[in-house]
Amino acid sequence: MQGHQAAVPWLSYAIPFAIIAVVMALRWRSMRRARKLRVEMLWILPAVYAAIMALVFFESPPGPGGWLWSALALAGGAAIGWYRGRMMRITVDPETHELSQQASPAAFFLLIGLVLVRSVARQEMGGSYGPQADHHAAMLATDILMAFAFGLIAATRVEMALRARRLLAAARLA
């Protein structure tokens, strides 16, 4: 029985790593292709995420410290999201004026870095996501991560939309 208990911690690291590796490999492969960019659709994901986040915050609002940490996480996510959006390659077909986007390898490595930072933070917290975890700390961590993710998603999309519109306007003038 002792050997089985030693294998469990190893599996708790191996399985998430394997899943992340597969997802990142698929993302890397799809990143090589340019995809059609529909500027009018960029608002949908941030709006859906904002609605989910608002519902979660409404049902269980954070305390004053939680709001502060969530606001800081939102600002940090927005800064990183803006930078990530700038790394996305956006092109305009000169004849049809169709927009396309292609993810940057730098944006890909930024996402890998964020996953690694989250993993390190989880380890520093002692992996306290189980039933023995402090409920309030888990709720606060969830609120902070949700705010960070919203800032990242929204700022990436806003930066891409603004840049795509500028590029399209310039292409139409040429």
Side-chain angles (χ1 to χ4, degrees):
M1 193 63 156
Q2 192 73 358
H4 176 67
Q5 289 175 340
V8 173
W10 180 82
L11 283 177
S12 69
Y13 295 111
I15 291 172
F17 178 78
I19 292 170
I20 290 170
V22 168
V23 169
M24 291 300 189
L26 292 172
R27 180 73 179 122
W28 180 263
R29 196 178 74 178
S30 71
M31 190 173 89
R32 293 181 175 162
R33 295 186 306 264
R35 295 180 300 177
K36 184 176 180 178
L37 175 63
R38 295 179 20 192
V39 177
E40 66 277 3
M41 304 294 281
L42 287 175
W43 67 272
I44 294 173
L45 181 62
V48 168
Y49 195 85
I52 292 168
M53 193 172 89
L55 180 64
V56 168
F57 276 42
F58 178 76
E59 287 183 353
S60 180
W67 284 112
L68 175 64
W69 282 109
S70 294
L72 291 172
L74 177 71
I80 292 171
W82 192 267
Y83 183 69
R84 180 175 177 256
R86 287 184 44 138
M87 290 188 280
M88 299 290 184
R89 183 173 175 217
I90 299 175
T91 56
V92 181
D93 184 305
E95 294 176 13
T96 64
H97 293 152
E98 281 192 9
L99 292 163
S100 62
Q101 76 174 37
Q102 186 173 4
S104 153
F108 177 78
F109 290 121
L110 177 66
L111 287 178
I112 290 174
L114 290 174
V115 169
L116 291 174
V117 166
R118 183 183 180 280
S119 297
V120 168
R122 180 178 180 197
Q123 292 304 316
E124 292 300 317
M125 291 174 60
S128 58
Y129 292 109
Q132 70 276 18
D134 179 29
H135 176 72
H136 296 293
M139 293 297 289
L140 178 60
T142 302
D143 293 343
I144 290 169
L145 289 172
M146 286 184 69
F148 180 85
F150 176 68
L152 181 85
I153 292 167
T156 298
R157 298 295 181 105
V158 167
E159 199 289 327
M160 288 175 64
L162 293 173
R163 191 160 36 99
R165 288 187 176 147
R166 281 193 311 266
L167 290 170
L168 188 57
R172 287 181 175 155
L173 289 176

